Amino acid sequence: MSRHVLAAVGMDGREIAREERPAAPSLAVVAAYGDLHACDYVTVSQGESVGLYARDPGGMWDAVSPGTDAVTADEMRLWFELTHHYPGPGGADPSHPLGRAPQPGAVGRIDERRAIALVQEHIATGGLDYPAQGLVADRFAVGWRVYAPVDVDDSDPMAFLDMPVGRSVFMVGDTGRIKEDTSAIPPQKADALFTAEDAFIRRPPAEEAFMNDLKAEFERLDARSGQPGAITDFTVVGTPPEDVTAARVTALTDEIARQLALCGPQRWERMVAAFSCAVSAETADLCFWQHERPLEARVPEQIALLVRRQRHLAAAMPAGPWLRLIVAVTKGPGGQAQVSTQYDYGDERLPDGQLLAPTHYRNDLAAYPRAGVPAWLRAYAGTNGQRTESPRTAPERSAPPRQEAPERPFVDSLVGWTTHVVADQQRITYGRDSLAWEEIEWVRYPVSRTKHLGFLFPSTYTNTYTFGVGRYGNSPKSLGDLIWSKGGKRAEAPEAWLALVEFTQRVLEPRLLAERLDLIRRGGSFTIGEMRVHRGGLTLRGVMEADWDSLTDIEVADGLVWLHERGRHQPVRVSLGSANAVLLPRLVAAMAG
């Protein structure tokens, strides 16, 4: 049986020290070994299996990856370095593996006007409270910092008091990726972190990086020889074979699944994560099941970085980069987990809830030129008649466009006596009123039961299932109160109502939740019923003024959301019939956390 090799590793991946042990070391032994050699990373190897351990900025050690291959362990080390240590108090270091800007690649550099236009579009589509005119841009290593300038009267010594603190600054990468930052973070640190993220995602495979460094060293020695041109040609042939790339993509997917599993509740049984990606934007949906009850969760930005890296590696495969990645994990007996992965390359149109704006697919096709772009995607992205194939792989003749079958509704149900509600992946329609799912700003689906007491006869029950969606302001009233009624003490919910609620929870609510969290964190507020939700907490005039940390528990029962506040004997109640009341538990969990 092979022995265990304990190695102290620097941030650049180089071994500082190593020793062999007959048995697997405990976490305490690993931590002591790392502390002894003053490093942040320790690997434990047994044969081809490598476990990675790391120390966080607070000095605590933990397992990052309990067992993978050497290349994937290196990927995870750089990922942990980026998300926990970089750039550090000393700022960016050009010699650091994450300190060098990646090559522009097929995209090249975007110009200043394009960067400003992308931010203006981002402000408009997101409904952000931020000026869209008069924006300026400053260039940094891999993109532009776009912001609204602030005019300050230099002659007034007290003018600095009027300067906004923590105002948004938009980092726009050359790929079109936009990251909203704050002016409270020093520009040098924000630039360094954004550059490091791009360096992590877009760096070449280990073999190619080695050959590129070797080529650079030959060129340097050639220049020092006094005979420039002695080396006339140097071809990089370090790209790994297809099967090696596929194995690395699979191994990194397993690491993504492992990190996602930490985002769920204790004792969950099943997990499904769905990512829809382009180089400049992505959506992420994550759901856990516990006792067959679905529980939505948020995908942290740190894990999104791993997903972007996996997609960049997958882009080297013949099929090119995927448009959607679905990762499912099912726990079996004994704690064993089964991971299944599904890649969607866009053969069929993506679901509306996971379809990005056309500009993001144009950015993606420019960054990853490919052959055989699906007809629907070419039309949707507005690239008809434009070249998106690589010159080396473009077919001589494009295939004729497929005829797409009309989409079938997942709900077509009679509501009341004469009118049907019809819903497909794009919109919901009742009579003459219709709304696209992407237009909807609020949702509700309360259930109530009425008991009719009998005198000479037994009591009867009426169960009312309500479903409503709409926009604030001018919105079709008929879509706000779709009502199904069923008699019986143990009546089952109507299939149409269940299907609408399931679709809403899976597609609509994650978007509504993300939009409202973003609004709160930018200093805005909104109301749910008579409850005002804002950055400081929850306010119900004359009844409740609670900050987020004072909320001790939140329950959903009997058609109400029950809010428990520290020091208050009676909980505050919000009716589930109020628009977006169903979001309250997750809003509180996100803000209190």
Side-chain angles (χ1 to χ4, degrees), residues 107-124:
V107 182
R109 293 186 173 184
I110 63 172
D111 59 27
E112 180 181 358
R113 289 196 300 177
R114 173 63 176 155
I116 292 175
L118 285 172
V119 171
Q120 289 172 329
E121 181 182 359
H122 179 76
I123 292 170

Side-chain angles (χ1 to χ4, degrees), residues 490-538:
R490 295 179 176 84
E492 294 184 357
E495 291 184 5
W497 182 87
L498 284 174
L500 288 169
V501 170
E502 187 278 332
F503 181 87
T504 298
Q505 292 176 338
R506 178 170 53 86
V507 175
L508 182 57
E509 286 182 25
R511 171 176 66 80
L512 296 178
L513 179 66
E515 290 172 352
R516 273 132 195 86
L517 285 172
D518 182 65
L519 178 62
I520 294 171
R521 288 163 177 160
R522 289 188 286 108
S525 65
F526 55 91
T527 58
I528 294 179
E530 297 181 358
M531 179 80 70
R532 180 170 165 263
V533 185
H534 51 93
R535 181 185 290 176
L538 301 176

Side-chain angles (χ1 to χ4, degrees), residues 215-383:
K215 177 183 178 182
E217 181 65 13
F218 266 94
E219 290 173 346
R220 184 183 68 82
L221 294 174
D222 184 38
R224 289 182 57 188
S225 68
Q227 297 178 343
I231 301 175
T232 58
D233 187 34
F234 194 110
T235 303
V236 174
V237 292
T239 303
E242 179 184 329
D243 58 339
V244 173
T245 300
R248 290 177 182 174
V249 169
T250 300
L252 198 54
T253 305
D254 289 341
E255 296 299 326
I256 291 169
R258 185 176 288 116
Q259 295 298 323
L260 288 170
L262 301 176
C263 301
Q266 292 184 349
R267 296 184 296 276
W268 56 268
E269 295 100 18
R270 185 161 57 95
M271 176 198 86
V272 175
F275 300 93
S276 178
C277 289
V279 289
S280 52
E282 66 271 325
T283 66
D285 300 317
L286 177 60
C287 187
F288 294 86
W289 278 263
Q290 189 175 35
H291 305 303
E292 296 305 316
R293 179 190 176 195
L295 301 167
E296 301 282 348
R298 186 179 66 88
V299 176
E301 169 62 17
Q302 294 95 322
I303 300 179
L305 283 168
L306 270 182
V307 175
R308 293 175 202 143
R309 172 59 177 167
Q310 189 264 25
R311 186 173 187 264
H312 181 76
L313 291 176
M317 302 290 290
W322 47 263
L323 297 185
R324 281 201 311 158
L325 168 66
I326 300 173
V327 179
V329 181
T330 303
K331 285 185 178 178
Q336 295 296 318
Q338 179 180 352
V339 181
S340 62
T341 306
Q342 179 183 347
Y343 295 103
D344 185 348
Y345 293 96
D347 293 336
E348 303 293 337
R349 182 185 173 93
L350 271 57
D352 273 6
Q354 297 174 336
L355 188 64
L356 305 175
T359 185
H360 298 307
Y361 293 112
R362 290 195 292 271
N363 293 339
D364 204 62
L365 292 170
Y368 300 115
R370 69 199 84 172
V373 179
W376 75 265
L377 181 58
R378 189 185 295 274
Y380 178 76
T383 60

